[in-house]
Amino acid sequence: VTTARHDTASPEETQGLAVDLAAALRGGETIALHGDLGAGKTQFVRGLVRGLGGDERSVSSPTYVLLNVYATPRFSVFHLDAYRVSGPDDFDAIGFTELLDQGGVVVVEWAGRVLDLLPPARIDVTITHAGEGRRVVDVRRTS
Ligand SMILES: Nc1ncnc2c1ncn2[C@@H]1O[C@H](COP(=O)(O)OP(=O)(O)OP(=O)(O)O)[C@@H](O)[C@H]1O
Ligand SMILES: [Mg+2]
């Protein structure tokens, strides 16, 4: 397990952490995003997609559709949002377990709501409000 804690003072800085993380990805990873409404989970995904060479403008919270897929020159990013799911069945319905085997990166907002479905080897990113424009971003990697 490796952990790192970062303080950011803007959305761009939070995205920058994700750009750095993207450089270390090989495909097949699961990234669990934790944090309150407006913490910056979607901002983080934006940085991730940019870091992989994709178009960050296509990134938005898949709150109602559950899943957005972004193509990048490296591999696909499967962006999920568990905020509105009533339970694991909703994720089963969109073929969540199959997504884990596609060689892309699976990134889940509100991951705590579907934690039982996520592989134990994953990257957990927890974003906490720390004042106006500020966030603490904890990255914990198990493998
Ligand atoms: N340091 C920071 N890092 C990230 N976002 C920040 C920061 N400071 C301010 N913000 C603002 O906080 C908001 C974060 O929104 P974002 O959609 O990423 O949150 P979220 O965690 O995905 O919320 P939701 O659970 O509603 O999907 C944006 O408006 C962003 O501009
Ligand atoms: Mg979001």
Side-chain angles (χ1 to χ4, degrees), residues 8-11 14 35-44 61 63 81 83 109-110 133-135:
T8 70
S10 68
T14 297
D36 291 341
L37 285 169
K41 301 179 293 296
T42 301
Q43 293 291 332
F44 193 89
S61 274
T63 309
D81 188 341
Y83 185 63
E109 297 196 30
W110 294 97
R134 302 190 166 268
R135 304 289 188 270

Side-chain angles (χ1 to χ4, degrees), residues 97-115:
T97 38
E98 285 74 33
L99 290 182
L100 298 172
D101 302 323
Q102 305 285 307
V105 164
V106 173
V107 54
V108 184
E109 297 196 30
W110 294 97
R113 307 205 170 179
V114 290
L115 218 50

Side-chain angles (χ1 to χ4, degrees), residues 86-98:
S86 44
D89 287 357
D90 290 354
F91 260 39
D92 283 342
I94 57 167
F96 179 71
T97 38
E98 285 74 33

